[in-house]
Amino acid sequence: MSRLLDFCRGEVPTAVDAEICSALRKCNIEPISFRSQVDIQHEGDRSRSMYLIRSGWAYSYAVLADGQRQILFLHQAGDIAGLADFGTESVSCSMRSLGDCVILPIPFTAIATLSSSTPGIMTYLLQKSAQIQSILMRTLTAVGRMEARHRVVWLILMLHDRYSSSVTTTSAVIEIPFNQSEIGDLIGLTNVSVSKVLCQLSDEGFIERKGSKVLLRRLADMQTLINYEPMGFSEGSYLNLKEEYGDRGAVKRVSGSQGEVSGLD
């Protein structure tokens, strides 16, 4: 039987998890809770921090000259957003919560202290940077060269690939946190095209949809359809924040249209 995938990636805390989370606490880095659809940062803001996603989802995006939105990257629990802004004066893209989420803002000014006291955190940052680059290259290929049907199949397989710790059956359940408009903004399609393709895939028995959850009934066939190769990220590249950072509530809750995370450095 298929199971809902564990998005935190890894149920047993590791020594590295404990070491990194302990270092964050020593630097007085506390979590901030954001309501759904709140901007955490805006393109052009002063570059202050990178953001470790403790729980929930967020996405980075840019607003094009014609006013359209291009979603650039989906951030899951354990991801670090804002790595590209390290060493720059201003933020390169905006970031928004996708559903309720909790983040740990890590000031760039704290990186030197963290890297000397906790070498493992630099390894983790390098792993996350490599992951982001790999996913962005695959996204560019999908959006630039694939037809609409194959783009949607690619997105489903990419989500399954990122959030599953292992694949032991021919089917799997994933959660798609985007609505159809947001899916279109990620892979360059209209919401009408996205809806049409999802219905086709459902009618043909590739998937079964139940709200935001999708059962992949023909996983191997979908992989063959677009010649998909799994990314093969290691389990060690995900932090178990739920276990290691404890159940303490966020010290600040943001529910307005724009996050206020200034003054953290």
Side-chain angles (χ1 to χ4, degrees):
M1 180 179 294
S2 300
R3 63 183 178 83
L4 185 62
L5 305 178
D6 174 16
F7 299 126
C8 288
R9 203 70 177 276
E11 299 176 356
V12 180
T14 67
V16 174
D17 293 341
E19 182 183 16
I20 292 176
C21 291
S22 175
L24 294 178
R25 285 194 293 267
K26 288 179 181 178
C27 289
N28 296 318
I29 295 173
E30 296 291 344
I32 301 176
S33 175
F34 288 87
R35 295 296 188 187
S36 179
Q37 299 298 327
V38 175
D39 276 347
I40 298 168
Q41 67 176 18
H42 282 144
E43 180 180 354
D45 288 349
R46 186 160 70 89
S47 181
R48 293 175 176 268
S49 306
M50 61 181 69
Y51 303 95
L52 177 55
I53 311 299
R54 177 183 171 188
S55 64
W57 311 76
Y59 63 84
S60 295
Y61 71 97
V63 178
L64 307 181
D66 60 2
Q68 296 189 76
R69 176 182 59 183
Q70 177 65 55
I71 293 180
L72 303 172
F73 199 87
L74 173 64
H75 305 286
Q76 69 176 108
D79 277 352
I80 295 183
L83 279 171
D85 299 322
F86 184 57
T88 65
E89 292 185 358
S90 60
V91 170
S92 58
C93 60
S94 301
M95 183 168 66
R96 177 171 294 182
S97 57
L98 185 61
D100 293 351
C101 73
V102 179
I103 66 167
L104 292 161
I106 305 175
F108 291 133
T109 53
I111 296 300
T113 301
L114 289 170
S115 61
S116 60
S117 63
T118 313
I121 200 168
M122 297 309 296
T123 300
Y124 186 72
L125 291 176
L126 286 173
Q127 287 178 325
K128 299 312 297 185
S129 180
Q131 280 187 17
I132 292 171
Q133 183 176 0
S134 176
I135 295 169
L136 286 176
M137 288 191 296
R138 286 170 176 249
T139 304
L140 181 61
T141 300
V143 173
R145 293 297 181 183
M146 290 184 180
E147 61 183 62
R149 176 184 174 89
H150 288 182
R151 293 186 203 181
V152 176
V153 171
W154 170 83
L155 176 62
I156 293 172
L157 291 176
M158 185 272 290
L159 290 173
H160 170 264
D161 202 2
R162 286 191 67 192
Y163 308 132
S164 61
S165 58
S166 63
V167 179
T168 57
T169 64
T170 57
S171 61
V173 177
I174 64 170
E175 182 174 358
I176 298 182
F178 291 128
N179 59 39
Q180 291 180 1
S181 177
E182 290 164 336
I183 291 174
D185 287 345
L186 176 63
I187 57 177
L189 298 174
T190 65
N191 60 340
V192 174
S193 295
V194 171
S195 178
K196 180 179 179 181
V197 172
L198 288 173
C199 287
Q200 289 175 347
L201 293 174
S202 182
D203 291 342
E204 294 168 15
F206 286 100
I207 63 173
E208 179 182 340
R209 292 185 291 165
K210 293 183 178 180
S212 63
K213 296 179 178 62
V214 176
L215 171 63
L216 280 63
R217 290 196 173 277
R218 297 170 57 189
L219 174 59
D221 290 340
M222 293 173 70
Q223 292 172 331
T224 301
L225 181 65
I226 63 170
N227 195 28
Y228 184 88
E229 292 291 336
M231 290 179 281
F233 295 146
S234 66
E235 295 246 352
S237 58
Y238 290 80
L239 283 179
N240 194 326
L241 295 173
K242 182 178 180 180
E243 295 291 339
E244 288 300 330
Y245 219 83
D247 294 325
R248 295 178 301 164
V251 298
K252 183 176 182 180
R253 183 174 297 275
V254 181
S255 58
S257 61
Q258 178 182 358
E260 297 179 358
V261 291
S262 61
L264 295 171
D265 56 346

PDB file of all heavy atoms in Angstrom, residues 1-5 157 160 164-174 206 214-223 230:
ATOM      1  N   MET A   1       0.848  -1.195   0.000  1.00  0.00           N
ATOM      2  CA  MET A   1       0.000   0.000   0.000  1.00  0.00           C
ATOM      3  C   MET A   1       0.882   1.242   0.000  1.00  0.00           C
ATOM      4  O   MET A   1       1.884   1.315   0.682  1.00  0.00           O
ATOM      5  CB  MET A   1      -0.906  -0.001   1.232  1.00  0.00           C
ATOM      6  CG  MET A   1      -1.822   1.224   1.306  1.00  0.00           C
ATOM      7  SD  MET A   1      -2.898   1.201   2.757  1.00  0.00           S
ATOM      8  CE  MET A   1      -3.912  -0.218   2.342  1.00  0.00           C
ATOM      9  N   SER A   2       0.469   2.226  -0.777  1.00  0.00           N
ATOM     10  CA  SER A   2       1.240   3.464  -0.839  1.00  0.00           C
ATOM     11  C   SER A   2       1.096   4.224   0.462  1.00  0.00           C
ATOM     12  O   SER A   2       0.101   4.136   1.152  1.00  0.00           O
ATOM     13  CB  SER A   2       0.734   4.330  -1.993  1.00  0.00           C
ATOM     14  OG  SER A   2       0.875   3.646  -3.210  1.00  0.00           O
ATOM     15  N   ARG A   3       2.104   5.015   0.777  1.00  0.00           N
ATOM     16  CA  ARG A   3       2.061   5.808   2.004  1.00  0.00           C
ATOM     17  C   ARG A   3       2.331   7.261   1.661  1.00  0.00           C
ATOM     18  O   ARG A   3       2.968   7.574   0.671  1.00  0.00           O
ATOM     19  CB  ARG A   3       3.099   5.311   3.004  1.00  0.00           C
ATOM     20  CG  ARG A   3       4.534   5.453   2.526  1.00  0.00           C
ATOM     21  CD  ARG A   3       5.499   4.866   3.543  1.00  0.00           C
ATOM     22  NE  ARG A   3       6.874   4.952   3.084  1.00  0.00           N
ATOM     23  CZ  ARG A   3       7.651   6.012   3.202  1.00  0.00           C
ATOM     24  NH1 ARG A   3       7.173   7.123   3.725  1.00  0.00           N
ATOM     25  NH2 ARG A   3       8.898   6.001   2.775  1.00  0.00           N
ATOM     26  N   LEU A   4       1.817   8.149   2.482  1.00  0.00           N
ATOM     27  CA  LEU A   4       2.109   9.565   2.306  1.00  0.00           C
ATOM     28  C   LEU A   4       3.563   9.808   2.644  1.00  0.00           C
ATOM     29  O   LEU A   4       4.056   9.399   3.678  1.00  0.00           O
ATOM     30  CB  LEU A   4       1.219  10.413   3.225  1.00  0.00           C
ATOM     31  CG  LEU A   4       1.348  11.928   3.046  1.00  0.00           C
ATOM     32  CD1 LEU A   4       0.939  12.325   1.639  1.00  0.00           C
ATOM     33  CD2 LEU A   4       0.479  12.646   4.065  1.00  0.00           C
ATOM     34  N   LEU A   5       4.272  10.487   1.748  1.00  0.00           N
ATOM     35  CA  LEU A   5       5.716  10.623   1.897  1.00  0.00           C
ATOM     36  C   LEU A   5       6.093  11.565   3.025  1.00  0.00           C
ATOM     37  O   LEU A   5       5.400  12.533   3.301  1.00  0.00           O
ATOM     38  CB  LEU A   5       6.297  11.133   0.578  1.00  0.00           C
ATOM     39  CG  LEU A   5       5.939  10.258  -0.619  1.00  0.00           C
ATOM     40  CD1 LEU A   5       6.524  10.860  -1.889  1.00  0.00           C
ATOM     41  CD2 LEU A   5       6.439   8.856  -0.426  1.00  0.00           C
ATOM     42  N   LEU A 157       6.972  13.836 -11.234  1.00  0.00           N
ATOM     43  CA  LEU A 157       8.085  12.934 -10.936  1.00  0.00           C
ATOM     44  C   LEU A 157       9.165  13.638 -10.116  1.00  0.00           C
ATOM     45  O   LEU A 157       9.781  13.033  -9.230  1.00  0.00           O
ATOM     46  CB  LEU A 157       8.687  12.403 -12.244  1.00  0.00           C
ATOM     47  CG  LEU A 157       7.794  11.450 -13.040  1.00  0.00           C
ATOM     48  CD1 LEU A 157       8.463  11.075 -14.355  1.00  0.00           C
ATOM     49  CD2 LEU A 157       7.464  10.200 -12.232  1.00  0.00           C
ATOM     50  N   HIS A 160       7.929  13.770  -6.552  1.00  0.00           N
ATOM     51  CA  HIS A 160       8.073  12.433  -5.977  1.00  0.00           C
ATOM     52  C   HIS A 160       9.530  12.133  -5.653  1.00  0.00           C
ATOM     53  O   HIS A 160       9.859  11.593  -4.595  1.00  0.00           O
ATOM     54  CB  HIS A 160       7.528  11.395  -6.952  1.00  0.00           C
ATOM     55  CG  HIS A 160       7.839   9.980  -6.559  1.00  0.00           C
ATOM     56  ND1 HIS A 160       8.920   9.290  -7.056  1.00  0.00           N
ATOM     57  CD2 HIS A 160       7.226   9.145  -5.686  1.00  0.00           C
ATOM     58  CE1 HIS A 160       8.949   8.089  -6.521  1.00  0.00           C
ATOM     59  NE2 HIS A 160       7.938   7.972  -5.693  1.00  0.00           N
ATOM     60  N   SER A 164      10.447  11.693  -1.550  1.00  0.00           N
ATOM     61  CA  SER A 164      10.375  10.298  -1.129  1.00  0.00           C
ATOM     62  C   SER A 164      11.742   9.850  -0.638  1.00  0.00           C
ATOM     63  O   SER A 164      12.761  10.125  -1.261  1.00  0.00           O
ATOM     64  CB  SER A 164       9.899   9.408  -2.274  1.00  0.00           C
ATOM     65  OG  SER A 164      10.797   9.489  -3.361  1.00  0.00           O
ATOM     66  N   SER A 165      11.783   9.190   0.476  1.00  0.00           N
ATOM     67  CA  SER A 165      13.052   8.686   1.002  1.00  0.00           C
ATOM     68  C   SER A 165      13.454   7.404   0.308  1.00  0.00           C
ATOM     69  O   SER A 165      14.632   7.061   0.242  1.00  0.00           O
ATOM     70  CB  SER A 165      12.948   8.443   2.515  1.00  0.00           C
ATOM     71  OG  SER A 165      11.902   7.535   2.801  1.00  0.00           O
ATOM     72  N   SER A 166      12.476   6.663  -0.214  1.00  0.00           N
ATOM     73  CA  SER A 166      12.760   5.445  -0.969  1.00  0.00           C
ATOM     74  C   SER A 166      11.526   5.082  -1.771  1.00  0.00           C
ATOM     75  O   SER A 166      10.414   5.508  -1.458  1.00  0.00           O
ATOM     76  CB  SER A 166      13.132   4.282  -0.041  1.00  0.00           C
ATOM     77  OG  SER A 166      12.041   3.964   0.797  1.00  0.00           O
ATOM     78  N   VAL A 167      11.730   4.300  -2.807  1.00  0.00           N
ATOM     79  CA  VAL A 167      10.627   3.837  -3.645  1.00  0.00           C
ATOM     80  C   VAL A 167      10.625   2.318  -3.602  1.00  0.00           C
ATOM     81  O   VAL A 167      11.509   1.675  -4.153  1.00  0.00           O
ATOM     82  CB  VAL A 167      10.769   4.331  -5.096  1.00  0.00           C
ATOM     83  CG1 VAL A 167       9.616   3.822  -5.946  1.00  0.00           C
ATOM     84  CG2 VAL A 167      10.827   5.848  -5.141  1.00  0.00           C
ATOM     85  N   THR A 168       9.651   1.751  -2.919  1.00  0.00           N
ATOM     86  CA  THR A 168       9.615   0.300  -2.768  1.00  0.00           C
ATOM     87  C   THR A 168       8.420  -0.341  -3.458  1.00  0.00           C
ATOM     88  O   THR A 168       8.289  -1.551  -3.472  1.00  0.00           O
ATOM     89  CB  THR A 168       9.554  -0.063  -1.275  1.00  0.00           C
ATOM     90  OG1 THR A 168       8.415   0.573  -0.684  1.00  0.00           O
ATOM     91  CG2 THR A 168      10.800   0.421  -0.557  1.00  0.00           C
ATOM     92  N   THR A 169       7.524   0.484  -4.031  1.00  0.00           N
ATOM     93  CA  THR A 169       6.377  -0.055  -4.737  1.00  0.00           C
ATOM     94  C   THR A 169       6.269   0.605  -6.094  1.00  0.00           C
ATOM     95  O   THR A 169       6.981   1.566  -6.394  1.00  0.00           O
ATOM     96  CB  THR A 169       5.069   0.202  -3.953  1.00  0.00           C
ATOM     97  OG1 THR A 169       4.845   1.625  -3.873  1.00  0.00           O
ATOM     98  CG2 THR A 169       5.157  -0.352  -2.546  1.00  0.00           C
ATOM     99  N   THR A 170       5.369   0.120  -6.934  1.00  0.00           N
ATOM    100  CA  THR A 170       5.190   0.684  -8.269  1.00  0.00           C
ATOM    101  C   THR A 170       4.296   1.906  -8.248  1.00  0.00           C
ATOM    102  O   THR A 170       4.079   2.531  -9.273  1.00  0.00           O
ATOM    103  CB  THR A 170       4.591  -0.365  -9.213  1.00  0.00           C
ATOM    104  OG1 THR A 170       3.356  -0.846  -8.666  1.00  0.00           O
ATOM    105  CG2 THR A 170       5.564  -1.514  -9.410  1.00  0.00           C
ATOM    106  N   SER A 171       3.738   2.251  -7.112  1.00  0.00           N
ATOM    107  CA  SER A 171       2.923   3.456  -7.002  1.00  0.00           C
ATOM    108  C   SER A 171       3.334   4.205  -5.751  1.00  0.00           C
ATOM    109  O   SER A 171       3.958   3.665  -4.852  1.00  0.00           O
ATOM    110  CB  SER A 171       1.430   3.103  -6.943  1.00  0.00           C
ATOM    111  OG  SER A 171       1.154   2.308  -5.824  1.00  0.00           O
ATOM    112  N   ALA A 172       2.974   5.474  -5.673  1.00  0.00           N
ATOM    113  CA  ALA A 172       3.350   6.287  -4.530  1.00  0.00           C
ATOM    114  C   ALA A 172       2.371   7.444  -4.420  1.00  0.00           C
ATOM    115  O   ALA A 172       1.723   7.821  -5.387  1.00  0.00           O
ATOM    116  CB  ALA A 172       4.776   6.802  -4.686  1.00  0.00           C
ATOM    117  N   VAL A 173       2.272   7.979  -3.225  1.00  0.00           N
ATOM    118  CA  VAL A 173       1.421   9.137  -2.985  1.00  0.00           C
ATOM    119  C   VAL A 173       2.302  10.343  -2.731  1.00  0.00           C
ATOM    120  O   VAL A 173       3.249  10.276  -1.943  1.00  0.00           O
ATOM    121  CB  VAL A 173       0.490   8.903  -1.774  1.00  0.00           C
ATOM    122  CG1 VAL A 173      -0.343  10.162  -1.493  1.00  0.00           C
ATOM    123  CG2 VAL A 173      -0.430   7.721  -2.033  1.00  0.00           C
ATOM    124  N   ILE A 174       2.022  11.439  -3.403  1.00  0.00           N
ATOM    125  CA  ILE A 174       2.713  12.688  -3.139  1.00  0.00           C
ATOM    126  C   ILE A 174       1.678  13.773  -2.887  1.00  0.00           C
ATOM    127  O   ILE A 174       0.493  13.591  -3.164  1.00  0.00           O
ATOM    128  CB  ILE A 174       3.632  13.127  -4.310  1.00  0.00           C
ATOM    129  CG1 ILE A 174       2.808  13.420  -5.570  1.00  0.00           C
ATOM    130  CG2 ILE A 174       4.695  12.074  -4.584  1.00  0.00           C
ATOM    131  CD1 ILE A 174       3.608  14.073  -6.675  1.00  0.00           C
ATOM    132  N   PHE A 206      -2.683   7.081 -15.242  1.00  0.00           N
ATOM    133  CA  PHE A 206      -1.336   7.368 -14.742  1.00  0.00           C
ATOM    134  C   PHE A 206      -1.374   7.833 -13.292  1.00  0.00           C
ATOM    135  O   PHE A 206      -0.520   7.474 -12.485  1.00  0.00           O
ATOM    136  CB  PHE A 206      -0.655   8.434 -15.601  1.00  0.00           C
ATOM    137  CG  PHE A 206      -0.189   7.946 -16.934  1.00  0.00           C
ATOM    138  CD1 PHE A 206      -0.928   8.195 -18.078  1.00  0.00           C
ATOM    139  CD2 PHE A 206       1.002   7.228 -17.049  1.00  0.00           C
ATOM    140  CE1 PHE A 206      -0.491   7.748 -19.314  1.00  0.00           C
ATOM    141  CE2 PHE A 206       1.452   6.779 -18.279  1.00  0.00           C
ATOM    142  CZ  PHE A 206       0.688   7.032 -19.419  1.00  0.00           C
ATOM    143  N   VAL A 214      -1.779  13.188  -4.798  1.00  0.00           N
ATOM    144  CA  VAL A 214      -1.801  12.506  -6.084  1.00  0.00           C
ATOM    145  C   VAL A 214      -1.206  11.116  -5.911  1.00  0.00           C
ATOM    146  O   VAL A 214      -0.078  10.976  -5.422  1.00  0.00           O
ATOM    147  CB  VAL A 214      -1.005  13.288  -7.158  1.00  0.00           C
ATOM    148  CG1 VAL A 214      -0.966  12.513  -8.471  1.00  0.00           C
ATOM    149  CG2 VAL A 214      -1.621  14.670  -7.381  1.00  0.00           C
ATOM    150  N   LEU A 215      -1.966  10.106  -6.310  1.00  0.00           N
ATOM    151  CA  LEU A 215      -1.481   8.730  -6.294  1.00  0.00           C
ATOM    152  C   LEU A 215      -0.894   8.422  -7.676  1.00  0.00           C
ATOM    153  O   LEU A 215      -1.586   8.537  -8.688  1.00  0.00           O
ATOM    154  CB  LEU A 215      -2.622   7.772  -5.978  1.00  0.00           C
ATOM    155  CG  LEU A 215      -2.324   6.271  -6.144  1.00  0.00           C
ATOM    156  CD1 LEU A 215      -1.225   5.833  -5.172  1.00  0.00           C
ATOM    157  CD2 LEU A 215      -3.585   5.451  -5.938  1.00  0.00           C
ATOM    158  N   LEU A 216       0.379   8.064  -7.707  1.00  0.00           N
ATOM    159  CA  LEU A 216       1.046   7.707  -8.954  1.00  0.00           C
ATOM    160  C   LEU A 216       0.825   6.215  -9.202  1.00  0.00           C
ATOM    161  O   LEU A 216       1.504   5.367  -8.628  1.00  0.00           O
ATOM    162  CB  LEU A 216       2.550   8.024  -8.882  1.00  0.00           C
ATOM    163  CG  LEU A 216       2.966   9.482  -9.102  1.00  0.00           C
ATOM    164  CD1 LEU A 216       2.400  10.383  -8.021  1.00  0.00           C
ATOM    165  CD2 LEU A 216       4.486   9.607  -9.123  1.00  0.00           C
ATOM    166  N   ARG A 217      -0.144   5.894 -10.061  1.00  0.00           N
ATOM    167  CA  ARG A 217      -0.492   4.498 -10.307  1.00  0.00           C
ATOM    168  C   ARG A 217       0.459   3.829 -11.300  1.00  0.00           C
ATOM    169  O   ARG A 217       0.637   2.617 -11.269  1.00  0.00           O
ATOM    170  CB  ARG A 217      -1.928   4.397 -10.814  1.00  0.00           C
ATOM    171  CG  ARG A 217      -2.974   4.730  -9.758  1.00  0.00           C
ATOM    172  CD  ARG A 217      -4.344   4.249 -10.181  1.00  0.00           C
ATOM    173  NE  ARG A 217      -5.326   4.398  -9.123  1.00  0.00           N
ATOM    174  CZ  ARG A 217      -5.500   3.541  -8.132  1.00  0.00           C
ATOM    175  NH1 ARG A 217      -4.723   2.465  -8.061  1.00  0.00           N
ATOM    176  NH2 ARG A 217      -6.413   3.737  -7.210  1.00  0.00           N
ATOM    177  N   ARG A 218       1.027   4.618 -12.182  1.00  0.00           N
ATOM    178  CA  ARG A 218       1.916   4.048 -13.200  1.00  0.00           C
ATOM    179  C   ARG A 218       3.239   4.817 -13.194  1.00  0.00           C
ATOM    180  O   ARG A 218       3.615   5.456 -14.171  1.00  0.00           O
ATOM    181  CB  ARG A 218       1.241   4.102 -14.575  1.00  0.00           C
ATOM    182  CG  ARG A 218      -0.035   3.279 -14.664  1.00  0.00           C
ATOM    183  CD  ARG A 218      -0.811   3.550 -15.943  1.00  0.00           C
ATOM    184  NE  ARG A 218      -0.011   3.313 -17.146  1.00  0.00           N
ATOM    185  CZ  ARG A 218      -0.411   3.641 -18.378  1.00  0.00           C
ATOM    186  NH1 ARG A 218      -1.596   4.218 -18.556  1.00  0.00           N
ATOM    187  NH2 ARG A 218       0.360   3.406 -19.419  1.00  0.00           N
ATOM    188  N   LEU A 219       3.911   4.739 -12.068  1.00  0.00           N
ATOM    189  CA  LEU A 219       5.141   5.503 -11.872  1.00  0.00           C
ATOM    190  C   LEU A 219       6.192   5.154 -12.920  1.00  0.00           C
ATOM    191  O   LEU A 219       6.774   6.043 -13.545  1.00  0.00           O
ATOM    192  CB  LEU A 219       5.683   5.247 -10.468  1.00  0.00           C
ATOM    193  CG  LEU A 219       7.043   5.855 -10.126  1.00  0.00           C
ATOM    194  CD1 LEU A 219       7.008   7.368 -10.271  1.00  0.00           C
ATOM    195  CD2 LEU A 219       7.457   5.468  -8.704  1.00  0.00           C
ATOM    196  N   ALA A 220       6.451   3.859 -13.122  1.00  0.00           N
ATOM    197  CA  ALA A 220       7.483   3.444 -14.078  1.00  0.00           C
ATOM    198  C   ALA A 220       7.137   3.897 -15.494  1.00  0.00           C
ATOM    199  O   ALA A 220       8.022   4.323 -16.254  1.00  0.00           O
ATOM    200  CB  ALA A 220       7.659   1.927 -14.026  1.00  0.00           C
ATOM    201  N   ASP A 221       5.858   3.820 -15.863  1.00  0.00           N
ATOM    202  CA  ASP A 221       5.441   4.245 -17.204  1.00  0.00           C
ATOM    203  C   ASP A 221       5.644   5.749 -17.385  1.00  0.00           C
ATOM    204  O   ASP A 221       6.012   6.208 -18.483  1.00  0.00           O
ATOM    205  CB  ASP A 221       3.977   3.897 -17.438  1.00  0.00           C
ATOM    206  CG  ASP A 221       3.748   2.397 -17.576  1.00  0.00           C
ATOM    207  OD1 ASP A 221       4.719   1.673 -17.868  1.00  0.00           O
ATOM    208  OD2 ASP A 221       2.594   1.947 -17.389  1.00  0.00           O
ATOM    209  N   MET A 222       5.395   6.523 -16.333  1.00  0.00           N
ATOM    210  CA  MET A 222       5.604   7.969 -16.418  1.00  0.00           C
ATOM    211  C   MET A 222       7.081   8.286 -16.583  1.00  0.00           C
ATOM    212  O   MET A 222       7.459   9.179 -17.351  1.00  0.00           O
ATOM    213  CB  MET A 222       5.039   8.652 -15.163  1.00  0.00           C
ATOM    214  CG  MET A 222       3.526   8.565 -15.043  1.00  0.00           C
ATOM    215  SD  MET A 222       2.888   9.194 -13.470  1.00  0.00           S
ATOM    216  CE  MET A 222       3.189  10.941 -13.656  1.00  0.00           C
ATOM    217  N   GLN A 223       7.934   7.565 -15.868  1.00  0.00           N
ATOM    218  CA  GLN A 223       9.377   7.775 -16.004  1.00  0.00           C
ATOM    219  C   GLN A 223       9.849   7.442 -17.416  1.00  0.00           C
ATOM    220  O   GLN A 223      10.659   8.165 -18.005  1.00  0.00           O
ATOM    221  CB  GLN A 223      10.119   6.924 -14.971  1.00  0.00           C
ATOM    222  CG  GLN A 223       9.901   7.375 -13.542  1.00  0.00           C
ATOM    223  CD  GLN A 223      10.469   6.414 -12.518  1.00  0.00           C
ATOM    224  OE1 GLN A 223      10.560   5.205 -12.762  1.00  0.00           O
ATOM    225  NE2 GLN A 223      10.855   6.926 -11.352  1.00  0.00           N
ATOM    226  N   PRO A 230      16.092   9.533 -11.990  1.00  0.00           N
ATOM    227  CA  PRO A 230      16.022  10.029 -10.609  1.00  0.00           C
ATOM    228  C   PRO A 230      17.257  10.838 -10.237  1.00  0.00           C
ATOM    229  O   PRO A 230      18.363  10.571 -10.709  1.00  0.00           O
ATOM    230  CB  PRO A 230      15.934   8.741  -9.782  1.00  0.00           C
ATOM    231  CG  PRO A 230      15.341   7.736 -10.718  1.00  0.00           C
ATOM    232  CD  PRO A 230      15.903   8.069 -12.066  1.00  0.00           C
TER     233      PRO A 230
END
